[in-house]
């Protein structure tokens, strides 16, 4: 038996308690590090799995698009665009020579491309409401005969008619002239073009009030903007 004093016993007890607290702190720290490591590993595993699923779904979708003939056809020709373009007006006309070149009269045309032309009315037919750019370009030349003079006048107008209101309306007009010196041939071009708001069923035609016999060739057209 070793006789120990009360003070020494207390010191030993305090030292033992400190060692226990240090061990408990170490255990808590190790436990926290383990939890953080497990959480990080779990998050990494979940993200990798989601990324793999997204890549797999994207690959399957791309493969389905490449193998689908219906989608390939739709990609080449969009039905909506096709339906819209079918209504769009694109027409170009060239003038036809007429036996009767007296004033006034409507110019007669032959179609270069486009379908909306009324041969009887000699007019472009508007297929739908909208804004259209309508133009006409006319080449004028001097003709030396008994009726010719040194100064020839020319008058052209764009007319619009619709059976809905059955009235001919003047859209735009233009005056021009050409000087014809004796024993000399001259030519010039007259151009009329403007943006108009037109309705479905409108018939746009070219009216020559004066100078029809000066016309050598002309172009008439319209397109939806």
């Amino acid at each position: 038996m070793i006789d120990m004093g009360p003070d020494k016993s207390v010191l030993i007890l305090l030292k033992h308690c400190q060692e226990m607290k240090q061990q408990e702190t170490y255990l808590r720290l190790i436990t926290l590090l383990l939890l953080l490591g497990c959480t990080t590993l779990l998050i990494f595993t979940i993200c990798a799995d989601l990324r793999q699923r997204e890549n797999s779904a994207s690959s399957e979708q791309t493969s389905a698009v490449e193998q689908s003939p219906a989608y390939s056809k739709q990609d080449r020709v969009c039905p909506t665009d096709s339906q819209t373009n079918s209504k769009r007006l694109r027409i170009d006309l060239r003038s036809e020579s007429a036996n009767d070149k007296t004033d006034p009269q409507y110019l007669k045309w032959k179609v270069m491309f486009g379908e909306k032309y009324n041969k009887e009315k000699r007019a472009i037919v508007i297929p739908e409401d909208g804004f259209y750019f309508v133009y006409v370009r006319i080449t004028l030349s001097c003709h030396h005969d008994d009726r010719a003079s040194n100064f020839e006048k020319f008058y052209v107008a764009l007319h619009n008619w619709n059976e809905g209101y059955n009235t001919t309306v003047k859209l735009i007009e233009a005056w021009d002239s050409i000087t014809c010196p004796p024993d000399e041939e001259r030519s010039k071009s007259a151009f009329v073009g403007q943006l108009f708001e037109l309705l479905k069923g409108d018939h746009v035609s070219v009216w020559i009030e004066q100078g029809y016999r000066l016309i050598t060739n002309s172009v008439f057209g319209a397109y939806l903007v």
Side-chain angles (χ1 to χ4, degrees):
M1 297 292 295
I2 300 175
D3 187 13
M4 299 179 62
D7 294 338
K8 191 173 182 179
S9 300
V10 171
L11 291 175
I12 294 173
L13 182 61
L14 290 175
K15 186 177 181 180
H16 180 71
C17 290
Q18 289 178 353
E19 292 177 354
M20 293 293 293
K21 287 183 178 181
Q22 288 180 355
Q23 292 179 1
E24 185 179 359
T25 302
Y26 292 152
L27 289 174
R28 288 182 178 179
L29 182 60
I30 293 173
T31 303
L32 179 60
L33 292 176
L34 288 175
L35 287 175
L36 291 175
C38 292
T39 304
T40 303
L41 181 61
L42 179 62
I43 294 174
F44 178 78
T45 304
I46 293 174
C47 292
D49 183 61
L50 290 176
R51 190 179 296 108
Q52 184 178 3
R53 290 184 180 181
E54 290 178 356
N55 293 335
S56 177
S58 178
S59 300
E60 291 178 359
Q61 184 177 4
T62 303
S63 177
V65 169
E66 293 176 353
Q67 295 177 1
S68 175
Y71 183 87
S72 178
K73 184 177 181 180
Q74 183 180 8
D75 182 62
R76 291 193 299 268
V77 181
C78 180
T80 303
D81 293 342
S82 178
Q83 293 174 2
T84 302
N85 290 333
S86 65
K87 294 183 179 181
R88 287 186 175 275
L89 178 63
R90 296 287 190 276
I91 187 168
D92 183 74
L93 310 174
R94 295 291 187 273
S95 60
E96 288 187 351
S97 59
N99 296 327
D100 182 13
K101 294 189 176 184
T102 58
D103 301 324
Q105 63 172 295
Y106 287 104
L107 281 180
K108 186 178 180 181
W109 307 94
K110 58 181 178 181
V111 180
M112 303 306 294
F113 65 82
E115 299 177 352
K116 301 298 182 179
Y117 176 65
N118 188 321
K119 189 174 182 179
E120 181 181 356
K121 295 288 185 181
R122 301 185 180 182
I124 293 175
V125 183
I126 302 301
E128 62 174 328
D129 299 351
F131 290 91
Y132 294 82
F133 185 79
V134 185
Y135 62 90
V136 57
R137 179 179 59 81
I138 299 175
T139 301
L140 308 175
S141 298
C142 293
H143 296 279
H144 296 287
D145 52 27
D146 296 334
R147 297 174 299 167
S149 61
N150 291 333
F151 186 75
E152 296 285 343
K153 292 182 178 180
F154 177 75
Y155 172 82
V156 60
L158 292 179
H159 285 180
N160 182 27
W161 173 86
N162 193 310
E163 62 181 1
Y165 45 83
N166 197 20
T167 303
T168 300
V169 179
K170 184 189 300 181
L171 295 176
I172 190 174
E173 63 181 353
W175 283 94
D176 207 337
S177 62
I178 183 171
T179 303
C180 303
D183 301 327
E184 182 179 345
E185 293 186 1
R186 287 189 178 182
S187 298
K188 67 179 300 184
S189 293
F191 179 84
V192 178
Q194 187 170 316
L195 189 66
F196 299 100
E197 184 178 8
L198 301 174
L199 303 177
K200 180 179 180 180
D202 282 349
H203 289 60
V204 183
S205 54
V206 181
W207 173 257
I208 305 299
E209 180 72 26
Q210 184 176 349
Y212 190 97
R213 64 189 184 88
L214 299 173
I215 299 174
T216 55
N217 59 75
S218 54
V219 178
F220 181 35
Y223 57 88
L224 177 67
V225 298

